[in-house]
Amino acid sequence: MRHLTLLGATGSIGDSTLDVVARHPDRFTVTALAAHSNAVKLGDLCRRFRPRYAVLSAPDAALALQREFERDGVGTRVLAGPEGLAEVATLPEVDTVLAAIVGAAGLPPTLAAARAGKRILLANKEALVMGGALFMEAVVAGGATLLPIDSEHNAIFQCLPSSYARDPAGAGVRRILLTASGGPFLARPLSELARATPDEACAHPNWSMGRKISVDSATMMNKGLEVIEAHWLFGAPPAAIEVVIHPQSVIHSLVEYVDGSVLAQLGHPDMRTPIAQALAFPDRIDTGVAALELPRLAALDFAVPDLERFPCLRLASEALAAGGTAPAALNAANEVAVAAFLDGRIRFTEIATLCATTLERAQLRPLVTLDDAREADRDARRHADEWLARRPVQGTLAA
Ligand code: NAD
Ligand code: MG
């Protein structure tokens, strides 16, 4: 029986995880559920899964949920704030922590889980982008196990030998090929991108996801962050990681070996598959995902990404090459930019502009402690906010 803490329980990954967990009550029990502020949804989930702990990082929402549970006789104990997140990520009775908070806020509890030697199922790529070497060192020092949930990285993990030890050359790996759908704007005329609306950006052709990662998919910053994620997870030099556009999202990624073999993992674009693979590893369990009927697939297409259309992909490569706190700065700038775009404060094409400007202005330092990452994150957010305040056209954008 695995005892689970689910960070980001009210989100899209949270939904998919609890769907898989509910199919296997003999294998998984939910010890803690955590989210930001959605007390209504977290309350419903607690009534259904009966965890010992619930956490809301927003203190007011946590207090409201606690009162409600006292009134209704729900036995779940409610914790609050970042301290509550760290507490449930390190509980002695928990062996598995599923990290599915969106953004930099996920780093501290995930790092705490690493130091506590948990089995970490990682969806929160921003934590790894921001924490980089620091996070990977904590995994080793804490004796933690890191299993990727991000579909591409989960696919790569499945295509690598079980003895793989973050050494591509030693395993005969020549390249890691990360597939990318290209998102909703793959074929839209470049001249129209400035007018793209948040709802259009969030309408992903293949995946149903939270709004932040959906916008990241539309700019392809998501793939840029995933290149950085792959670098840390698999110990691959940037030159050995290649992005390939594959609009159908059936091949989730590939590993090319020196003998010419290329191994791929395929499946419907449904996060329950990688989540179940990591939850049950090394076993395989049912997920409710339909079988892939190959004759029904009309075609599998591939192309090289166009960096003029997707400048964020280039920015992420530059941040990875610069090293140190550069990826943390880029990630923070992107979080501010995506939030501003979703709020109707900037145009779609300005996400890349704001990220590039912030990265240029960032004072890059070596990444030694969590404070270095936090400072880079804070500085980048301040630069990005200043840029937003100076932006000549304010208010809601006309389409
Ligand atoms: P989402 O927006 O649907 O959910 C985010 C979750 O994080 C919510 O439960 C929210 O309450 C919680 N959260 C946000 N800020 C928080 C804070 N400060 N403290 C505590 N909790 C906080 O996002 P999602 O689509 O589920 O994505 C979650 C993570 O998984 C992201 O890092 C994303 O990149 C990654 N991911 C998602 C998918 C997908 O299919 N959705 C695929 C691969 C990777
Ligand atoms: Mg992905």
Side-chain angles (χ1 to χ4, degrees), residues 284-306:
R284 296 279 181 172
I285 55 172
D286 178 48
T287 55
V289 176
L292 189 66
E293 303 293 350
L294 288 175
R296 282 213 210 140
L297 299 175
L300 297 178
D301 297 311
F302 303 96
V304 174
D306 170 0

Side-chain angles (χ1 to χ4, degrees), residues 50 84 189 206 356 380 387:
R50 301 269 157 194
N206 309 327
W387 187 90

Side-chain angles (χ1 to χ4, degrees), residues 6-16 34-38 41-42 55-58 81-82 85 99-106 109 122-127 149-152 207-214 216 222 225-226 229 270-271 274-275:
L6 175 46
L7 304 172
T10 56
S12 164
I13 292 288
D15 287 343
S16 297
H36 180 50
S37 60
N38 190 342
K41 182 159 181 184
L42 196 68
V55 186
L56 285 169
S57 56
L85 296 175
I101 289 174
V102 62
L122 186 76
N124 180 203
K125 67 195 85 184
E126 298 93 340
I149 296 271
D150 209 350
S151 58
E152 297 77 4
W207 297 95
S208 150
M209 310 182 285
R211 282 171 83 78
K212 192 264 178 180
I213 185 177
S214 295
D216 285 349
N222 181 52
L225 299 177
E226 289 185 357
E229 182 185 13
D270 187 321
M271 288 307 292
I275 289 168

Side-chain angles (χ1 to χ4, degrees), residues 262-281:
V262 181
L263 302 192
Q265 187 261 349
L266 286 72
H268 285 293
D270 187 321
M271 288 307 292
R272 290 176 300 176
T273 298
I275 289 168
Q277 195 276 341
L279 272 173
F281 181 77

Side-chain angles (χ1 to χ4, degrees), residues 212 215-216 219 221 225 311-316 318-319 326-339 346-362 380 383-384 387-388:
K212 192 264 178 180
V215 175
D216 285 349
T219 60
M221 180 62 89
L225 299 177
C312 288
L313 193 54
R314 184 175 40 76
L315 289 177
E318 287 171 7
L330 178 66
N331 177 65
N334 182 54
E335 287 189 28
V336 174
V338 171
I346 62 172
R347 296 182 192 284
F348 179 76
T349 41
E350 287 175 301
I351 296 174
T353 312
L354 177 48
C355 288
T357 311
T358 309
L359 193 60
E360 260 168 40
R361 290 184 55 188
H383 285 315
W387 187 90
L388 285 173

